[in-house]
Amino acid sequence: QVQLVESGGGSVQAGGSLRLSCAASGYTYSLYSLYYMGWFRQAPGKEREGVASIYNGGSTTQYADSVKGRFTISQDNAKNTLYLQMNSLKPEDTAMYYCAASSIRGGLVLAPQRYNYWGQGTQVTVSS
């Protein structure tokens, strides 16, 4: 099993920045069995959408078009921590942000159904 705990959400004005963190814990074997780590978000009344993903232990990343050039996903393997640096935030970025991990082979890396471990979420609110 893998446990994920997000932190770093909050309220910010448009144009501001936030950095989300996600601490992963569990059996060493479980952590090494993960293929991808990702960030997702869900706004009220909308479906959960993929924001960014990173190949676990590697550098291959993928971003949703809506956040390219503004958000950066990274990880510190020594700390088992995933990050999402969010710059130039817009009101439409307001959502609950979730950290997720996938031990499932195949599938789109930004598709929620590919991920089998989820954190509880952290709220990000951007005011205009």
Side-chain angles (χ1 to χ4, degrees):
Q1 289 294 325
V2 175
Q3 292 80 44
L4 304 171
V5 179
E6 304 97 333
S7 61
S11 297
V12 65
Q13 288 192 327
S17 298
L18 284 174
R19 189 176 81 154
L20 306 183
S21 299
C22 172
S25 62
Y27 292 113
T28 300
Y29 173 79
S30 296
L31 294 174
Y32 277 105
S33 71
L34 300 175
Y35 291 109
Y36 279 91
M37 303 288 293
W39 288 97
F40 293 78
R41 66 186 181 187
Q42 188 167 19
K46 294 188 176 181
E47 293 186 353
R48 190 169 297 189
E49 64 172 347
V51 175
S53 69
I54 186 167
Y55 184 73
N56 190 36
S59 59
T60 302
T61 58
Q62 188 165 338
Y63 296 91
D65 288 342
S66 58
V67 306
K68 281 181 182 177
R70 300 188 298 122
F71 291 11
T72 303
I73 188 171
S74 62
Q75 65 180 158
D76 184 331
N77 294 318
K79 297 181 179 179
N80 289 328
T81 302
L82 182 72
Y83 302 100
L84 184 68
Q85 178 66 44
M86 305 186 294
N87 299 328
S88 302
L89 283 161
K90 304 175 181 180
E92 51 263 44
D93 294 319
T94 296
M96 184 72 77
Y97 282 71
Y98 298 90
C99 172
S102 172
S103 62
I104 300 171
R105 288 182 179 271
L108 299 174
V109 297
L110 288 179
Q113 55 265 36
R114 192 216 170 104
Y115 292 76
N116 49 339
Y117 299 105
W118 293 87
Q120 295 298 309
T122 185
Q123 178 68 38
V124 171
T125 303
V126 184
S127 58
S128 57

